[in-house]
Amino acid sequence: MSSSPPTSNARWWGLFLIALAQFMVIMDASIIGVALPRMQEDLGFTPHDLSWVFNAYVIVTRLVEVPQ
């Protein structure tokens, strides 16, 4: 079975989708970064606790986004 290589147009669409996904990841991490000071104030978290919150959020959201 032979398959033809993707056309140039398909490669650009692939690059666009990868860039868009990376932008969404960065934007998502930035949003929680903005929310952390309010969490610290309202819930009384220490800076150490905030790092756990941030890392747990990132890990869980990435596991949900990974196709199975």
Side-chain angles (χ1 to χ4, degrees), residues 15-37:
L15 178 62
F16 172 74
L17 290 175
I18 290 171
L20 181 63
Q22 183 62 32
F23 172 75
M24 294 298 291
V25 167
I26 292 169
M27 187 176 68
D28 191 35
S30 297
I31 289 170
I32 192 167
V34 169
L36 285 175

Side-chain angles (χ1 to χ4, degrees), residues 13-65:
W13 274 109
L15 178 62
F16 172 74
L17 290 175
I18 290 171
L20 181 63
Q22 183 62 32
F23 172 75
M24 294 298 291
V25 167
I26 292 169
M27 187 176 68
D28 191 35
S30 297
I31 289 170
I32 192 167
V34 169
L36 285 175
R38 182 65 186 249
M39 284 184 201
Q40 183 177 20
E41 181 183 309
D42 291 347
L43 302 173
F45 286 166
T46 65
H48 184 261
D49 294 334
L50 291 177
S51 68
W52 278 99
V53 169
F54 181 82
N55 288 329
Y57 177 79
V58 170
I59 289 170
V60 169
T61 56
R62 296 310 164 253
L63 289 175
V64 170
E65 292 173 357

